[in-house]
């Protein structure tokens, strides 16, 4: 398979995964958890005695996948994915959470993009990790404040999203090493 076809196929897979994470995360917040707060989110334990709204794991994964979309398909595809993602973030969620979800998603993904874009020249893993940290903090603060008027679950949100970013690191190392071996460059 030639390099260009490989980039498009992998980019399409990353884009589909990114798009799937968004409505699934919103669905989980209202329907999946070990405990559901009345007029609030469904929660899961994320370690260290912390709980977080259940969608955090998928939001953390979405941040990494957006970086991979940009790496394979380029900046314009990534910008388009963010815009479509903001719309998707209004789906499968309570109307009261739609604005908070879309706003937090849009701003956090743009923050991620602004960090990832210049750093990717220094390496995929560093860029994806640093940009995801920025994105997950922005997303956590904005979503909690806009949705619930409180930062009560901030530590749990950050830890939950960070779990997925850290869990993605072996995949990022593998992609980086394989890209070097195959001579694949960022789009």
């Amino acid at each position: 398979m030639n390099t260009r076809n490989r980039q498009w196929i992998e980019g399409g897979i990353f884009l589909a995964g990114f798009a799937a994470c968004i409505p699934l995360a919103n669905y989980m917040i209202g329907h999946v958890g070990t405990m559901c707060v009345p007029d609030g989110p469904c929660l899961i334990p994320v370690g260290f005695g912390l709980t977080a709204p259940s969608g955090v794991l998928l939001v953390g994964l979405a941040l990494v996948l957006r970086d991979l979309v940009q790496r394979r398909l380029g900046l314009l595809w990534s910008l388009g994915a963010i815009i479509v993602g903001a719309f998707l973030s209004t789906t499968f969620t309570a109307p009261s959470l739609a604005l908070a979800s879309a706003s937090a998603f849009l701003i956090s993904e743009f923050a991620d993009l602004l960090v990832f874009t210049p750093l990717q020249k220094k390496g995929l893993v560093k860029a994806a990790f640093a940009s995801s940290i920025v994105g997950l903090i922005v997303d956590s603060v904005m979503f909690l404040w806009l949705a619930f008027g409180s930062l009560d679950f901030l530590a749990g949100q950050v830890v939950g999203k960070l779990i997925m970013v850290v869990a993605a690191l072996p995949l990022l190392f593998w992609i980086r090493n394989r890209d070097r071996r195959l001579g694949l460059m960022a789009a």
Side-chain angles (χ1 to χ4, degrees):
M1 177 182 309
N2 72 38
T3 302
R4 191 69 183 141
N5 286 345
R6 182 182 304 272
Q7 281 188 276
W8 278 101
I9 290 168
E10 290 179 11
I13 292 168
F14 297 143
L15 183 59
F18 173 77
C21 283
I22 300 159
L24 189 54
N26 282 349
Y27 175 81
M28 289 177 65
I29 288 170
H31 299 91
V32 178
T34 56
M35 175 182 79
C36 293
V37 177
D39 297 320
C42 291
L43 306 172
I44 59 168
V46 292
F48 311 105
L50 298 171
T51 59
S54 57
V56 298
L57 300 175
L58 289 171
V59 173
L61 180 59
L63 288 164
V64 173
L65 287 170
R66 203 245 7 113
D67 293 338
L68 292 172
V69 167
Q70 182 173 343
R71 182 168 177 86
R72 287 295 182 252
L73 301 178
L75 183 60
L76 290 178
W77 276 92
S78 188
L79 289 168
I82 291 170
I83 292 166
V84 170
F87 170 75
L88 287 173
S89 69
T90 65
T91 62
F92 299 102
T93 191
S96 60
L97 298 180
L99 178 63
S101 182
S103 299
F105 178 86
L106 191 65
I107 300 302
S108 66
E109 288 289 344
F110 274 121
D112 180 295
L113 180 134
L114 289 172
V115 173
F116 181 80
T117 301
L119 286 181
Q120 73 174 326
K121 292 177 180 79
K122 297 183 188 275
L124 169 63
V125 178
K126 290 176 190 171
F129 185 75
S131 66
S132 293
I133 297 298
V134 170
L136 70 85
I137 291 169
V138 170
D139 184 74
S140 298
V141 170
M142 282 193 68
F143 178 74
L144 288 172
W145 188 255
L146 292 173
F148 307 113
S150 164
L151 299 179
D152 288 346
F153 298 111
L154 182 60
Q157 282 256 4
V158 169
V159 169
K161 292 171 189 168
L162 185 59
I163 287 169
M164 288 307 287
V165 170
V166 170
L169 287 176
L171 174 64
L172 293 172
F173 278 111
W174 180 80
I175 290 170
R176 180 200 64 191
N177 293 337
R178 189 190 62 149
D179 285 0
R180 286 181 183 162
R181 192 175 64 252
L182 298 175
L184 288 173
M185 304 299 291

